[in-house]
């Protein structure tokens, strides 16, 4: 099974809505046929807060392997680089994304905002993509970032990204084409 953790950043949910529109095959059949173990998705998972924290802690520490990290929405770094405009439990989401990216075999920036920062890249929220801010290489993870499989962030742009694009990327990953 290929483990997959899905994060929403920057208030985005459009890529999730696109994914939920998958019809042939439907989403559960797609995930099952690809051998994807969906560890967490904010719209589909029902872990208790304590269980989700344990899962995150295990993934961040490497105690539990993470094959694919999917991030949708721009990563918020404001104000003044702290990331506190998008924090939960006092922890900036940008720090969680960075910690999970270090552990993942493959990192996918899903949608234009996760790929390039979106419309908030010039504003007070200091939005960025995972490996780009607009056309400037760098982003949250830095220009030289490589996931554990040796790949840079896979940018699947679109607003939202079409569900077939993600499905085909997951097919390539699970087939070992990465």
């Amino acid at each position: 099974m290929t483990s997959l953790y899905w994060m929403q950043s920057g208030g985005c949910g459009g890529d999730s809505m696109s994914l939920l529109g998958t019809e042939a095959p439907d989403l559960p059949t797609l995930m099952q046929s690809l051998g994807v173990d969906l560890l967490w998705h904010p719209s589909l998972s029902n872990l208790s807060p304590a269980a989700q924290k344990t899962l995150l802690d295990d993934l961040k520490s490497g105690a539990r392997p993470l094959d694919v990290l999917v991030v949708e929405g721009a990563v918020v770094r404001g104000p003044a680089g702290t990331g506190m405009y998008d924090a939960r439990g006092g922890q900036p989401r940008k720090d969680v994304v960075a910690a999970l990216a270090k552990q993942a075999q493959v990192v996918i920036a899903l949608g234009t905002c996760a790929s390039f920062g979106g419309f908030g890249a010039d504003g007070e929220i200091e939005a960025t993509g995972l490996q780009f801010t607009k056309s400037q290489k760098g982003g949250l993870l830095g220009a030289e970032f490589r996931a554990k499989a040796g790949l840079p962030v896979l940018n699947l742009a679109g607003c939202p990204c079409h569900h077939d694009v993600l499905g085909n990327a997951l097919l390539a990953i699970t087939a070992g084409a990465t």
Side-chain angles (χ1 to χ4, degrees), residues 91-131:
Q91 185 173 24
R93 192 174 314 261
K94 72 177 184 69
D95 295 347
V96 176
V97 171
L100 290 175
K102 288 179 188 173
Q103 296 298 329
Q105 291 294 317
V106 176
V107 177
I108 295 175
L110 189 62
T112 301
C113 290
S115 297
F116 305 108
F119 64 87
D122 292 325
E124 184 178 323
I125 65 169
E126 303 170 39
T128 187
L130 295 182
Q131 205 161 21

Side-chain angles (χ1 to χ4, degrees), residues 61-111:
S61 72
R64 183 166 184 173
L66 178 58
D67 296 312
V68 180
L69 171 65
V70 174
V71 177
E72 76 175 301
V75 178
V76 176
R77 296 183 293 188
T82 65
M84 293 307 291
Y85 281 157
D86 188 16
R88 183 174 180 189
Q91 185 173 24
R93 192 174 314 261
K94 72 177 184 69
D95 295 347
V96 176
V97 171
L100 290 175
K102 288 179 188 173
Q103 296 298 329
Q105 291 294 317
V106 176
V107 177
I108 295 175
L110 189 62

